[in-house]
Amino acid sequence: MKTVAIEIKRLPHMDGIDLPHFETEQAAGADLRAAITDNIILAPGERKLIPTGFCMALPAGYEAQVRPRSGLALKHGITVLNSPGTIDADYRGEVGVLLINHGDRDFTVSRGDRFAQMVIAPVTQGKFQSVEILDDTVRGSGGYGSTGTG
């Protein structure tokens, strides 16, 4: 498995909270923890930005993708609203995660809770070119649902 060095700057409200951490040897996502003072309650349908208490410097050519934790999604309907959220290599502000409660009851986020995960991924930028004609394919311009019913 490839690794890449990522510099993390702890903010004062992260005191006592673990850095992002991979829970198993082959985990793709590092768990993010809530760097909050008071509990945050998400009512059904409500969304809130949850701070992580850190800033980071990703190497050029990489992004961080913020994703839901599957257990929270299954058990409570908690997900990352703009999933996956993208953190660009040139962003230096605090990492925050926009959570939404799709469940049917209030959900509480407490200080230090693992509430999302972060995947580090290489980035490929496209070189966009204007053309007059595109090549033909079997699908053509068929959009949503055009390749079948299921």
Side-chain angles (χ1 to χ4, degrees):
M1 188 172 302
K2 185 176 180 176
T3 61
V4 61
I6 298 169
E7 297 175 347
I8 300 281
K9 177 184 174 183
R10 287 177 176 271
L11 299 174
H13 56 284
M14 191 187 188
D15 188 39
I17 294 177
D18 292 339
L19 291 175
H21 177 74
F22 297 96
E23 290 294 318
T24 65
E25 186 177 317
Q26 294 186 28
D31 286 333
L32 299 178
R33 295 182 179 270
I36 54 179
T37 305
D38 298 319
N39 288 348
I40 293 176
I41 298 173
L42 284 168
E46 190 174 23
R47 61 188 180 272
K48 289 190 180 171
L49 187 64
I50 311 298
T52 62
F54 70 88
C55 306
M56 67 181 169
L58 292 166
Y62 286 87
E63 68 164 327
Q65 298 175 2
V66 180
R67 301 178 181 182
R69 294 191 68 232
S70 57
L72 292 180
L74 174 65
K75 296 173 187 171
H76 305 284
I78 302 300
T79 191
V80 175
L81 188 57
N82 59 327
S83 184
T86 296
I87 302 168
D88 297 308
D90 58 354
Y91 177 66
R92 294 296 182 269
E94 180 176 7
V95 173
V97 179
L98 186 56
L99 288 188
I100 187 166
N101 183 353
H102 285 303
D104 55 7
R105 60 182 62 122
D106 288 355
F107 180 80
T108 302
V109 180
S110 299
R111 181 171 179 78
D113 281 356
R114 296 181 300 155
F115 70 96
Q117 60 182 322
M118 181 172 67
V119 174
I120 306 303
V123 171
T124 301
Q125 286 186 335
K127 182 178 179 184
F128 302 102
Q129 303 173 34
S130 179
V131 298
E132 295 296 321
I133 299 172
L134 297 175
D135 63 321
D136 278 336
T137 66
V138 173
R139 182 175 183 177
S141 60
Y144 291 104
S146 65
T147 61
T149 59

